[in-house]
């Protein structure tokens, strides 16, 4: 019985590695997206909506900083579910509020990101995340 349980647990380590890969993959994609936005700043700013403030510049800066923060959280595996949930909400806002006139073919990238983010919301950071490591440290401390 114990041997079977250990075999099952060993099998699920591959899932943790897959989650690690997914976290690193989407985090690097977001980072590349941010770099691209910053390199084409003048062009991006002309079409950027002013959602929170009167200026699109302030909205651009705040959203870009939040994207960078959430990408770092996803890569590190700390607060992965929260960061992925907020990023998925952001993609829904892009699809239904900012770009509703594009139709489904114009928002393929956002739909793919939503699928990845929902997967991360369901799975969490996995065994190789910072959050999991900190939880193990907390459980091992005895008072």
């Amino acid at each position: 019985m114990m041997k079977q349980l250990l075999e099952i647990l060993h099998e699920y380590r591959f899932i943790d590695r897959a989650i690690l890969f997914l976290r690193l993959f989407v985090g690097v994609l977001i980072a590349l997206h941010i770099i691209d936005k910053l390199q084409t700043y003048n062009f991006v700013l002309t079409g950027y909506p002013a959602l929170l403030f009167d200026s699109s510049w302030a909205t651009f800066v705040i959203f870009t900083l939040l994207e960078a923060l959430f990408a770092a959280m996803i890569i590190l595996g700390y607060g992965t579910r929260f960061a992925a949930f907020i990023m998925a909400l952001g993609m829904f806002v892009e699809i239904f509020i900012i770009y509703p006139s594009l139709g489904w073919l114009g928002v393929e990238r956002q739909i793919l990101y939503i699928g990845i983010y929902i997967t991360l919301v369901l799975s969490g950071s996995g065994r190789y995340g910072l959050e999991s490591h900190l939880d193990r440290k907390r459980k091992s401390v005895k008072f």
Side-chain angles (χ1 to χ4, degrees):
M1 174 77 174
M2 188 64 164
K3 186 177 179 180
Q4 290 174 333
L5 182 61
L6 289 175
E7 287 176 9
I8 291 171
L9 289 176
H10 187 270
E11 276 183 42
Y12 285 111
R13 298 235 174 154
F14 292 110
I15 293 172
D16 289 322
R17 291 177 189 150
I19 292 169
L20 173 65
F21 171 77
L22 187 63
R23 282 189 5 244
L24 295 176
F25 178 75
V26 76
V28 168
L29 281 180
I30 295 168
L32 291 174
H33 171 70
I34 291 170
I35 290 169
D36 182 50
K37 277 191 344 184
L38 293 176
Q39 286 178 342
T40 59
Y41 170 77
N42 290 329
F43 178 73
V44 170
L45 199 57
T46 59
Y48 212 81
L51 295 176
L52 302 176
F53 305 101
D54 288 336
S55 86
S56 60
W57 177 83
T59 305
F60 173 80
V61 169
I62 289 172
F63 283 2
T64 303
L65 289 174
L66 286 174
E67 277 182 338
L69 173 69
F70 293 144
M73 288 172 69
I74 288 173
I75 289 172
L76 293 174
Y78 186 77
T80 304
R81 285 188 167 113
F82 172 74
F85 179 74
I86 298 297
M87 294 294 278
L89 281 178
M91 290 296 139
F92 276 114
V93 167
E94 275 191 37
I95 290 172
F96 294 111
I97 295 176
I98 298 175
Y99 303 119
S101 62
L102 292 178
W104 291 110
L105 293 179
V107 291
E108 292 171 335
R109 179 180 54 89
Q110 287 88 349
I111 293 170
L112 288 172
Y113 274 124
I114 287 171
I116 292 170
Y117 293 141
I118 289 174
T119 302
L120 288 174
V121 167
L122 294 174
S123 68
S125 63
R127 180 182 173 101
Y128 301 113
L130 184 61
E131 198 170 73
S132 174
H133 178 71
L134 292 175
D135 284 344
R136 278 184 269 154
K137 288 270 188 188
R138 277 190 223 125
K139 288 179 183 176
S140 66
V141 175
K142 306 255 192 244
F143 290 102

